[in-house]
Amino acid sequence: MSRRTIAAGAMAGLGGALAVGIMEWFSRTANYPLAVIPFATSIVLVIGAPEAEPAQPRALVGGHVVATAVGLAVLKLIGPDVWAAAVAVGLAILAMRLTGTFHPPAGINPLLVVSNSLPWSFLFVPVLAGALFLTAFAYLWHHMLRRQPWPRRWW
């Protein structure tokens, strides 16, 4: 394994740890359970594989918003049922594909929404706010510390 590969992995690990630490701090400060903040895998993707299509802002922000909205709609229509959670995840995958916002980590959002009967405010905080924060963090991380371009495109 090359030194460059090791250095890139260490830098991604540091960025991921810092982002999760900030997320944990937010969770405690806002008194919002970390278990329902769906960004740990998004952080891994955006920091560790920034060139991937699902790591671009459209997918990151749009995927979380679309998947959460689908989960909220299914919860409203069907209720907090095990099969409703399954349907919500399946429909969220379809919706993300159709809207060009496919972000695999966002697949957990409809499951969280339906399983925990989360309110519509979940769409805005922590989902939209968190996705925008993560986008800003990733931009600063890649430009200021890695000195690498990110994103490949904004939308």
Side-chain angles (χ1 to χ4, degrees):
M1 192 174 311
S2 73
R3 285 185 182 188
R4 184 179 174 146
T5 301
I6 293 169
M11 190 67 145
L14 177 63
L18 182 59
V20 169
I22 293 168
M23 185 175 63
E24 174 69 18
W25 172 83
F26 169 77
S27 174
R28 289 184 183 189
T29 302
N31 201 25
Y32 211 101
L34 187 60
V36 296
I37 298 178
F39 294 110
T41 51
S42 293
I43 290 166
V44 172
L45 182 60
V46 173
I47 301 299
E51 67 287 340
E53 190 61 34
Q56 303 308 305
R58 177 185 175 94
L60 172 63
V61 176
H64 277 290
V65 169
V66 166
T68 302
V70 168
L72 289 163
V74 169
L75 177 62
K76 180 73 172 165
L77 294 171
I78 301 174
D81 182 75
V82 173
W83 287 107
V87 167
V89 171
L91 289 175
I93 293 168
L94 174 62
M96 287 188 290
R97 291 297 243 177
L98 292 175
T99 60
T101 59
F102 189 69
H103 183 73
I108 192 70
N109 296 16
L111 178 65
L112 291 172
V113 166
V114 175
S115 298
N116 295 295
S117 296
L118 296 173
W120 279 90
S121 61
F122 182 76
L123 180 63
F124 302 102
V125 176
V127 172
L128 178 59
L132 291 173
F133 169 79
L134 181 51
T135 300
F137 178 88
Y139 179 83
L140 293 172
W141 179 262
H142 292 299
H143 282 265
M144 295 176 72
L145 294 173
R146 287 189 62 235
R147 306 262 187 232
Q148 298 287 325
W150 185 88
R152 288 189 323 205
R153 69 180 170 286
W154 283 99
W155 202 250

